[in-house]
Amino acid sequence: MTTLASSPATTEQEVVEFRRVHQRLGDAVEVAVRGKRGVIDLVLVATFARGHVLVEDLPGTGKTTLARALAKALGGEMHRVQFTPDLLPSDVTGTSVFDPRDGQVRFRPGPVFANVVLADEINRAAAKTQSALLEVMEEHTVSVDGTAHPVPEPFTVVATQNPIDLDGTYRLPEAQLDRFMVRTSLGFPDLEHELDVLRPGSTAGRIDDVPTVSDPTEMARLSAVVERLHVADPILTYAREVGVAIRDDRRVRLGASTRGLRSLVRAVQAHAASRGRHYAIPDDVRRLAEPVLAHRTVLTREALLEGHTSTGVVHQALERVAPPQPDRV
């Protein structure tokens, strides 16, 4: 009886290279986005883990600048889609068109056919158009007229979203929220960095000054390194117990799915590598539980009326679930 050989574990040398590239990308994005290195690192973690990113914040806080700077630093092809109420699904994914020159019907690719897709103000479009991203975000293919068209690899969607209480916005359905590996926000910069942004001649917000420091081939290779990073069974058990604690909370109507917990593990792998480790530790889970699981946690109406938040539920679950001891990891 033969068995399939397992993939080789990530080596320390590979982790050193990964951390160097991660640092270089963070420095490049920070040329345009000042004072938000923690958010930048989180977005890079999701990108290396082959995940998608939802950036939610008020207008004017730098959401689009972050996404465009990331695309410029990563290299490869980038397309931007400005979501509006009249945007159609075919405007996003593409459509079949008739070519009168030879009488053939051909597929015309939409803007999702790129390495980095910036979905700007995604919640200004109707639900039907939002759902057009579902298949391509999960399957990395677009199906038109029974034919599957693969998108380029690597493939990352960086979507920006305004708070749902602003005029002209639509709530993202839970099925689409589950496709985003992380949700984050920028917020306003502190005094030092906001003055830096306001100072005449500052490069803050200027995408042309962001250097391109990587390319799709390197990103795909390093993402494969992340996938092989060691995660011990006690860490996997810890991640699942946190997820179960959230699901069992009486305030929760819908908790993180198994896909959500898999996203947490993949993000944990990338975060560990970005810290120069070839193995995961409980602190990686604690650091990423909120950005990965909070937007997948839907509270009951009563809990919302009482002022509870999904972020608070995740943090309380982390307090209730004891992490594994070091000798077990």
Side-chain angles (χ1 to χ4, degrees):
M1 178 177 177
T2 60
T3 58
L4 294 176
S6 59
S7 300
T10 301
T11 65
E12 293 187 20
Q13 183 178 356
E14 288 175 324
V15 169
V16 169
E17 180 188 7
F18 178 93
R19 189 179 189 187
R20 182 170 60 248
V21 174
H22 183 276
Q23 178 73 30
R24 192 168 67 229
L25 286 165
D27 292 343
V29 175
E30 206 169 20
V31 169
V33 183
R34 302 296 177 81
K36 297 296 177 181
R37 189 54 181 260
V39 176
I40 293 171
D41 287 344
L42 176 63
V43 171
L44 288 172
V45 161
T47 303
F48 278 112
R50 304 184 192 273
H52 308 293
V53 181
L54 179 63
V55 186
E56 181 181 77
D57 218 322
L58 293 168
T61 52
K63 302 187 300 295
T64 303
T65 299
L66 171 63
R68 292 180 63 198
L70 173 70
K72 179 74 181 298
L74 292 176
E77 190 172 5
M78 191 275 283
H79 290 163
R80 175 180 178 179
V81 184
Q82 182 66 51
F83 279 68
T84 57
D86 59 348
L87 193 72
L88 299 175
S90 59
D91 296 330
V92 177
T93 59
T95 187
S96 295
V97 296
F98 176 76
D99 190 342
R101 293 172 297 182
D102 56 11
Q104 299 294 317
V105 176
R106 293 186 173 85
F107 176 66
R108 178 180 294 170
V112 294
F113 286 84
N115 298 114
V116 179
V117 177
L118 169 55
D120 213 1
E121 297 186 301
I122 188 173
N123 63 331
R124 288 200 181 278
K128 185 175 182 180
T129 303
Q130 293 173 4
S131 64
L133 282 175
L134 284 176
E135 178 194 13
V136 66
M137 290 175 68
E138 181 68 17
E139 306 295 338
H140 291 201
T141 59
V142 171
S143 294
V144 176
D145 298 331
T147 302
H149 304 273
V151 297
E153 294 291 347
F155 173 72
T156 297
V157 173
V158 180
T160 70
Q161 172 176 263
N162 293 317
I164 60 174
D165 56 346
L166 290 186
D167 292 340
T169 59
Y170 301 83
R171 183 182 297 275
L172 290 179
E174 285 80 2
Q176 185 161 336
L177 283 172
D178 199 31
R179 262 64 175 188
F180 289 101
M181 175 172 282
V182 301
R183 181 186 65 181
T184 187
S185 62
L186 285 162
F188 294 109
D190 57 25
L191 173 62
E192 176 186 354
H193 291 100
E194 191 157 24
L195 288 176
D196 186 27
V197 172
L198 298 175
R199 187 169 292 112
S202 172
T203 61
R206 291 169 52 178
I207 305 302
D208 290 343
D209 292 326
V210 176
T212 298
V213 296
S214 188
D215 57 67
T217 300
E218 182 176 56
M219 292 298 297
R221 180 172 57 82
L222 292 178
S223 292
V225 169
V226 167
E227 290 177 348
R228 293 187 281 106
L229 189 135
H230 178 65
V231 182
D233 283 350
I235 301 296
L236 296 176
T237 301
Y238 178 49
R240 181 184 180 276
E241 288 176 348
V242 171
V244 171
I246 294 171
R247 294 172 191 161
D248 291 344
D249 194 302
R250 63 173 182 80
R251 298 166 293 179
V252 173
R253 177 168 63 86
L254 180 66
S257 65
T258 302
R259 175 168 53 201
L261 295 180
R262 287 191 65 187
S263 293
L264 176 58
V265 172
R266 285 159 46 206
V268 160
Q269 290 175 296
H271 183 264
S274 73
R275 294 298 184 267
R277 286 182 274 102
H278 60 282
Y279 55 89
I281 62 175
D283 281 349
D284 296 324
V285 177
R286 298 182 65 85
R287 167 68 180 86
L288 292 165
E290 186 267 317
V292 175
L293 301 181
H295 65 286
R296 294 176 161 94
T297 303
V298 182
L299 303 188
T300 63
R301 186 184 302 273
E302 293 76 12
L304 292 172
L305 291 175
E306 292 172 0
H308 297 287
T309 65
S310 58
T311 298
V313 169
V314 173
H315 288 168
Q316 290 173 24
L318 289 171
E319 293 174 359
R320 292 196 303 271
V321 179
Q325 298 302 311
D327 59 348
R328 296 182 57 209
V329 180

